[in-house]
Amino acid sequence: VLRANGANGECGKGTCRPVQGLGLCTYDKPEEASASSSAGALELVEVQMQAETAIANPSHYGDPAEGCKDDEEGVQVQGVPGDFCSPKCSDSGSCPSDVPDDVTATPQCALKTPTGDSYCALICHPSVLRANGA
């Protein structure tokens, strides 16, 4: 079964994007919904912050189109399609464990901004089957 949301559906309504041998759960932006995903060797170092004004999601790591929690930023990782709400990592490197319904991906402190701040992301396992037949 071909699953865009991870090998085990772990991204819920999101998409598991391949990054450096793992995956990152993101939500398609409306203008990206029809675009195809490309995988390559990417570094999770640059994060573009986006201001979101919608009502917040009930949990961390939601779709920024539905609003982020007060302690999150809407982020997009350079070179990776889609975006997601991301809280800062704690000083000890831990991340909030509450995730959206139907998500089983693991929150990890996996992103760094160019200024050195660390942010959490949902790490998933991309499906070995790809929609483009590759």
Side-chain angles (χ1 to χ4, degrees):
V1 174
L2 176 64
R3 292 180 186 236
N5 63 345
N8 300 309
E10 65 235 275
C11 291
K13 295 177 184 173
T15 301
C16 185
R17 305 284 185 187
V19 178
Q20 297 181 345
L22 289 175
L24 186 68
C25 294
T26 67
Y27 299 92
D28 288 334
K29 293 180 176 182
E31 65 271 14
E32 294 174 343
S34 61
S36 62
S37 154
S38 63
L42 301 172
E43 291 186 27
L44 298 179
V45 292
E46 298 212 19
V47 179
Q48 172 186 342
M49 299 299 173
Q50 305 166 346
E52 301 295 339
T53 58
I55 298 171
N57 283 292
S59 66
H60 287 93
Y61 315 103
D63 185 345
E66 298 172 9
C68 297
K69 294 184 75 65
D70 289 343
D71 63 341
E72 292 180 305
E73 299 283 342
V75 301
Q76 180 175 6
V77 177
Q78 185 176 26
V80 178
D83 56 0
F84 57 97
C85 295
S86 177
K88 274 192 173 182
C89 303
S90 73
D91 290 340
S92 66
S94 64
C95 296
S97 60
D98 61 313
V99 297
D101 290 341
D102 300 327
V103 169
T104 59
T106 307
Q108 290 185 16
C109 186
L111 306 174
K112 281 194 187 270
T113 66
T115 59
D117 291 328
S118 296
Y119 282 82
C120 301
L122 291 174
I123 303 302
C124 56
H125 301 90
S127 175
V128 295
L129 302 173
R130 296 196 178 152
N132 66 3

